[in-house]
Amino acid sequence: QVQVVESGGGLVQAGGSLRLSCAASGRAISRYTMGWFRQAPGKEREFVAVISWISGSTYYADSVKGRFTISRDNAKSTLYLQMNSLKPEDTAVYYCAARASTNLVFTATGYDYWGQGTQVTVSS
């Protein structure tokens, strides 16, 4: 069983930056894959970024590549999403998710545990 809790959302102007955090707790977190997803009003939940906890391998959605960076702090069992050059279309509720596998997965259905989400709003 793993629990994940997001924080760090807020309101920012276009071009600005935010850093989201996801505190993870539970057994053998190093054997998990962690992902960030987002969901805008009226849209499906979409993949943003993923990282293998044990290897550090990462992968990004094309829409955020070069602007967002996913990372983890092993000592703090915390996942991060650094978001730079934010655009109004990045506005969404952002979710942290954990998958009990070391394989990188890019679909929401592949994840076993979810946080409650944190709102990110980017004004133009």
Side-chain angles (χ1 to χ4, degrees):
Q1 187 85 10
V2 170
Q3 291 184 327
V4 292
V5 180
E6 306 97 333
S7 61
L11 173 64
V12 64
Q13 289 188 333
S17 299
L18 278 176
R19 188 178 79 160
L20 305 183
S21 300
C22 172
S25 61
R27 291 175 23 172
I29 191 66
S30 64
R31 298 184 181 276
Y32 280 67
T33 291
M34 304 293 293
W36 286 101
F37 289 78
R38 66 187 182 185
Q39 188 166 18
K43 295 188 177 181
E44 293 187 352
R45 192 167 298 189
E46 66 171 357
F47 166 76
V48 174
V50 61
I51 187 169
S52 167
W53 200 281
I54 194 168
S55 71
S57 298
T58 60
Y59 191 82
Y60 298 89
D62 288 342
S63 58
V64 306
K65 202 173 294 182
R67 300 188 298 122
F68 291 10
T69 302
I70 188 172
S71 63
R72 84 270 193 244
D73 184 324
N74 290 335
K76 297 181 179 180
S77 295
T78 300
L79 178 74
Y80 300 101
L81 184 68
Q82 178 65 45
M83 305 185 294
N84 298 329
S85 302
L86 282 161
K87 305 175 181 179
E89 50 263 44
D90 294 318
T91 295
V93 176
Y94 283 71
Y95 296 91
C96 172
R99 168 182 168 84
S101 168
T102 56
N103 296 330
L104 299 186
V105 172
F106 318 124
T107 56
T109 54
Y111 287 77
D112 307 296
Y113 306 99
W114 292 84
Q116 81 287 352
T118 185
Q119 177 71 46
V120 171
T121 303
V122 184
S123 62
S124 56

